[in-house]
Every structure is written in structure tokens, then in C-alpha cells.
Amino acid sequence: MNSPQRPDNVVWDITYACPLRCVHCYTESGRRPSRRLGRADLLRVTAALIELRPQAVVLAGGEPLLLPEIFDIAAELRRNRIGAIVYTSGWGLTAALAERLLRSFHQVVVSVDGATAEVHDAIRRRPGSFDQALDALAKLNAASVVLNDSRVPFGRFGIECTVVRSNAGQLEEMCSATAPKFPGMAFLSFGAAVPSGLASAPVFERTELLTDDGVAALVDPDRLDRLRRLCPPTVAVSTTDNLSLLMRPDLVAAGRSVSIMQVEPDGAVRAMPIYEGTVGSLLDEPGAVLWERAQARLHDPFVRATLGPVRTMSGWAEAARRLDRHFGSPDVLARLDRRVRQ
């Protein structure tokens, strides 16, 4: 089986600090130490990622906007012709910051998990987070008008929604009511929650993780067509079941899995996106060495035996829990034990 020589994309969870406490948080951000690096080491990690020549580096978290150094990172990526993408909850976004984000990043993604404050805020576990997200979108929209009038190159902005049972019935409303409020918005993406982090916990699996029927309904072509018709024609609408993140052996062999390197805030590289377990740090070893090591994990007998039989969302959640415990460090295992007791 041939492995890709480099990742197509990198997702760097640049900090675990976050003002929100999302029920599906893949990184448990806001509930654990931020593990953020200082400026010099952030740029060292950036340089290591540039050497890999990915198509894009995604800065996520946690809340990346808590780190002013993200603009230094974006500048280095752009200087080396690598896509720079940032994800944000929009909490506390100012007009000046909105314009700077669009000037610095190729794409700014605001996370919105519902068409109403009642639904979004319940998922995000912070009152006012829906209003903050929509205010951020309004500021990005206003900044895009100014930048367009001045003919200055700037990035696109849009919404990504993590689809769970609580918000699955609001996608049409997001297209018909939310999207038209922001004429400059370029995209609206709906992706099924994957069983990672808090979203792999048994209680989340029972109450919020989409059922198999729910996933099928999300990616049904007729529904996608309906969502697109409800949105302004300038907005690109997409849906995904995110099964490419499962990393099941047959999907990997068929080239239907993602080629992504996931980096933790301190520069550690996960062996497989969404699952616990690292293969070293970009501060200590070249990215190419860590990528090769990560690719080897896909062929580990335990990985293949655990993921090979998965055919359902509940089976995926159970497999994720097994993988996290098998490959997690002592600190990870302690965190998983605390999660079970909560």
C-alpha cells in the first residue's frame, strides 16, 4: 500500500484555551491547560510545517484568536504560498480584527451550530455565543465590503456547522434565514459530528451523535439540493458525513481517507487525526519523519482490527474509545478517566 509522501493539509489546534464549553468539543478545550507555545516556538513549528509543503494549514483550537501570533504564522504561510485558514467561534471579534483576519487569511471560518440562540448556545454551553457568532459574521461582512471597494486582496469567510441531533432540524433555517443576512459570505458547510474527544463519550453517543439514518439524511442528494436552493446563489453549500476521518483500512486502501496531519498546541503530532496518541514533536524532529511514523500507525494490527469492522456510528464511537485508551499517554488516560467520572 503506497502512503502519501506528505499531508495534503495540516490542522493545528494552536491552543486549548477557549471561552466556550462545547458539548461536542473534539479537544476538550477550555477544560484543560492551553499548552500554547511562545512566539519563537510557534514560528519553529510553522517553519517545520512549511517544509512539508501542504496545500493549507488550518489554525483551530480552542480559540485561535486568543493568540496574536496567528498573524505572524499566517504571514509566513502566505509568503511560502501555503493556504492559511482560521476557525473561530467569533467571541469578542472586533471590526478591526475582522478586517485584519480577511487581509491575513485565505479563509475565515465561523462556527455556528444552529439557527437560533436556544439551540446554538445549548451546544456551545455559553449564553450569548450565538449573538457573538452572528455579530462576528456581520463584522466580517462589513470588512469584506470595505476591502472589495478598495480592491485589496482578501480572504473568503463563511460558516461551518457541526451537525448533531439537537441542530439537525435547523439546517434549512440556517440557509433561508441566517445566510441571507451576510451577502459577502462565500460558503456554508454542514458536517456530521465525529466521535472524537467529548463527542466519543458514551453519553454523547446516546444523546447527540447522529444515528446512521441521521447521517444518511444529512448527505442525501435531494436534501443538499434543497439546502442550496434555500441559500443565496453566491453561497456554496456542502454537506459531509466525515467518514473520511474514520481511517478504516479498506477506505485508506481505496484512497477515501483524509491526508491530514493534526498538530497539538505544543507541537506534538497525532498519529491519526481525531484519535489520541502522538508520534513525536515538530520541535524535536522533522515533519517528514513524523509523517512517515504517523502513516505507519494506519497499518498497526490493533488499528486495523479495531477499525476494520466499523460500519455504524455507534461502532465508530466504541472504536474511537478503544483507540484512545490503547495509544493514549498516561496524561491522556487520566483525562479520559476524569471524563468518565463527570
Side-chain angles (χ1 to χ4, degrees):
M1 185 186 304
N2 293 325
S3 299
Q5 296 301 304
R6 60 179 179 81
D8 291 336
N9 297 290
V10 172
V11 175
W12 184 2
D13 295 320
I14 199 166
T15 179
Y16 290 147
C18 187
L20 308 184
R21 300 292 183 271
C22 304
V23 297
H24 53 37
C25 187
Y26 300 149
T27 61
E28 296 187 62
S29 292
R31 302 168 172 90
R32 58 192 295 196
S34 69
R35 289 174 59 187
R36 63 150 297 176
L37 297 172
R39 183 177 185 277
D41 282 339
L42 286 170
L43 293 179
R44 283 179 60 198
V45 171
T46 303
L49 295 177
I50 289 170
E51 287 184 5
L52 288 170
R53 306 306 306 176
Q55 296 173 12
V57 173
V58 178
L59 300 185
E63 177 50 72
L65 302 193
L66 294 174
L67 275 63
E69 295 90 350
I70 63 170
F71 295 103
D72 298 322
I73 294 169
E76 285 300 300
L77 295 173
R78 293 180 72 105
R79 187 171 66 83
N80 285 276
R81 299 184 179 181
I82 294 172
I85 301 170
V86 64
Y87 276 67
T88 178
S89 68
W91 191 274
L93 186 71
T94 64
L97 185 55
E99 182 173 333
R100 191 178 183 191
L101 285 171
L102 290 178
R103 286 177 178 269
S104 302
F105 287 88
H106 294 97
Q107 193 164 289
V108 180
V109 185
V110 180
S111 299
V112 182
D113 286 340
T116 62
E118 179 183 11
V119 169
H120 175 96
D121 290 1
I123 293 171
R124 294 282 166 169
R125 292 286 175 89
R126 178 92 188 250
S129 59
F130 180 75
D131 291 339
Q132 289 274 330
L134 263 59
D135 184 64
L137 287 162
K139 287 183 168 64
L140 288 164
N141 189 76
S144 71
V145 172
V146 172
L147 293 170
N148 187 58
D149 289 345
S150 63
R151 297 185 180 180
V152 173
F154 63 96
R156 307 186 311 151
F157 75 94
I159 291 172
E160 181 167 293
C161 173
T162 300
V163 183
V164 296
R165 295 184 203 180
S166 292
N167 63 17
Q170 290 201 328
L171 308 194
E172 282 79 5
E173 188 177 352
M174 290 183 70
C175 290
S176 63
T178 305
K181 294 178 180 178
F182 314 108
M185 194 170 85
F187 57 89
L188 176 50
S189 304
F190 299 106
V194 300
S196 177
L198 294 180
S200 71
V203 64
F204 187 89
E205 176 197 336
R206 292 192 301 270
T207 61
E208 286 287 11
L209 193 69
L210 290 181
T211 63
D212 300 325
D213 287 344
V215 172
L218 173 63
V219 298
D220 179 76
D222 289 337
R223 189 179 194 190
L224 177 57
D225 182 62
R226 182 167 66 252
L227 294 174
R228 286 172 172 166
R229 285 187 278 107
L230 288 170
C231 254
T234 53
V235 177
V237 181
S238 62
T239 61
T240 177
D241 54 22
N242 278 323
L243 288 179
S244 62
L245 290 165
L246 171 57
M247 312 298 282
R248 202 173 66 205
D250 61 315
L251 299 178
V252 172
R256 293 169 55 196
S257 287
V258 295
S259 173
I260 291 177
M261 173 182 280
Q262 185 174 357
V263 183
E264 299 189 348
D266 58 5
V269 173
R270 286 200 178 195
M272 300 166 65
I274 85 167
Y275 305 114
E276 298 283 358
T278 60
V279 292
S281 171
L282 291 165
L283 293 175
D284 301 325
E285 297 180 274
V289 171
L290 300 182
W291 178 247
E292 182 177 355
R293 205 173 290 159
Q295 292 300 290
R297 177 67 58 83
L298 297 174
H299 312 300
D300 180 279
F302 185 83
V303 170
R304 296 175 66 85
T306 302
L307 293 180
V310 173
R311 293 298 184 276
T312 64
M313 291 298 287
S314 61
W316 188 1
E318 173 61 27
R321 293 191 289 267
R322 291 183 62 200
L323 288 171
D324 288 350
R325 287 205 168 272
H326 185 82
F327 292 108
S329 66
D331 286 345
V332 167
L333 295 179
R335 176 161 49 81
L336 297 180
D337 289 338
R338 287 194 300 272
R339 184 193 298 168
V340 170
R341 292 194 298 269
Q342 291 172 352

